[in-house]
Amino acid sequence: MITKNKLKNPIFCIVAMNENRIIGDGKKLLWHLPGDLKRLKKITMGSPLIMGRKTWDSIGRPLPGRANIVLTNSISWRAEGAIVVNSFEDAIFRADQWIDLNWKIDQKIVQKKIFLFGGAEIYKIGLKYCDNIEMTKVNFNLKAGIKFPKLNETDWEKTKLQHNLATNDVPEHSFWHYRRIV
Ligand SMILES: NC(=O)c1ccc[n+]([C@@H]2O[C@H](COP(=O)([O-])OP(=O)(O)OC[C@H]3O[C@@H](n4cnc5c(N)ncnc54)[C@H](OP(=O)(O)O)[C@@H]3O)[C@@H](O)[C@H]2O)c1
């Protein structure tokens, strides 16, 4: 069993959601935020990502410069560029292994942290191991969809990092850092 105090590398969560905690429709994201994608790339570059098979399918390719660790219940599912695992424990093991191996090769690029990359099923499993969330809050009016788990608001110190007003095609959104305090 994994316990948080025994993690070799910390797990950070990264997510974009609307005011109703909606993160997607099950197949894709519901918005296109070029600035958020740039931020996501910068934050996660050089780290392993742990994602569910449905999130992998929604992206459709490996994200370069990062380990793409994909959780599935299938023992035969394969995809080029994906490190396939059948348990969250194994996902962490493979992420630590990737960091160790790549750290020896390039310490300038590799970050000693793992990202919980979604979707909702994977957030639900992994959030308890995270003390930090890189959150994008999107002003997007929608009540139904795939939801991020409900956080206990008093457990987190919240820092607003940047606010972006709406432009023609891009809804208003803001970048936040959540740090667990209890
Ligand atoms: N806004 C954001 O920040 C963000 C981030 C990521 C994803 N998303 C969105 O979220 C949606 C997908 O989320 P989702 O919750 O439907 O799916 P998901 O979490 O991406 O993937 C679920 C799949 O992961 C596998 N899985 C889950 N738990 C497992 C376990 N304990 N052991 C082994 N495999 C396990 C299963 O794959 P198998 O069915 O193959 O067994 C399951 O069907 C999409 O719309 C995507 O665009 C949004």
Side-chain angles (χ1 to χ4, degrees):
M1 242 223 358
I2 322 158
T3 51
K4 197 160 86 180
N5 58 359
K6 290 216 175 114
L7 289 176
K8 205 166 159 185
N9 295 291
I11 308 179
F12 279 55
C13 175
I14 188 157
V15 63
M17 68 176 94
N18 81 350
E19 47 278 31
N20 297 315
R21 308 197 319 276
I22 304 290
I23 63 165
D25 66 1
K27 296 236 178 286
K28 57 179 185 332
L29 298 176
L30 296 155
W31 41 72
H32 181 60
L33 306 175
D36 189 43
L37 294 179
K38 230 186 250 175
R39 168 180 142 91
L40 177 138
K41 183 175 179 184
K42 194 169 169 208
I43 290 176
T44 60
M45 191 50 71
S47 290
L49 315 175
I50 299 179
M51 69 186 87
R53 193 264 311 154
K54 292 182 186 167
T55 292
W56 166 275
D57 282 350
S58 77
I59 304 170
R61 62 179 175 91
L63 294 175
R66 290 148 280 187
N68 290 250
I69 300 173
V70 183
L71 257 164
T72 175
N73 293 298
S74 162
I75 50 161
S76 57
W77 187 87
R78 296 281 175 273
E80 207 179 316
I83 298 171
V84 186
V85 293
N86 296 125
S87 71
F88 193 71
E89 208 156 25
D90 201 27
I92 293 180
F93 177 78
R94 296 296 295 271
D96 289 338
Q97 207 178 38
W98 187 91
I99 290 172
D100 283 350
L101 190 74
N102 286 279
W103 181 255
K104 285 183 197 137
I105 302 167
D106 199 342
Q107 294 183 13
K108 283 201 281 294
I109 292 180
V110 174
Q111 302 192 68
K112 287 194 165 189
K113 47 166 106 154
I114 299 167
F115 283 93
L116 195 67
F117 203 69
E121 291 190 33
I122 272 43
Y123 292 135
K124 204 168 160 201
I125 302 171
L127 206 50
K128 55 179 168 290
Y129 302 108
C130 300
D131 286 339
N132 294 277
I133 307 175
E134 305 295 355
M135 189 186 295
T136 302
K137 296 186 185 184
V138 191
N139 191 349
F140 194 86
N141 187 12
L142 193 76
K143 287 201 172 68
I146 303 288
K147 276 194 176 188
F148 189 79
K150 191 162 174 44
L151 293 175
N152 189 355
E153 294 293 330
T154 54
D155 290 357
W156 301 86
E157 175 193 78
K158 303 156 192 172
T159 310
K160 189 176 188 175
L161 305 172
Q162 192 179 320
H163 192 91
N164 302 294
L165 294 174
T167 56
N168 283 351
D169 303 327
V170 179
E172 184 182 12
H173 59 286
S174 49
F175 301 142
W176 293 73
H177 183 83
Y178 277 36
R179 188 177 66 86
R180 195 190 287 277
I181 46 175
V182 288

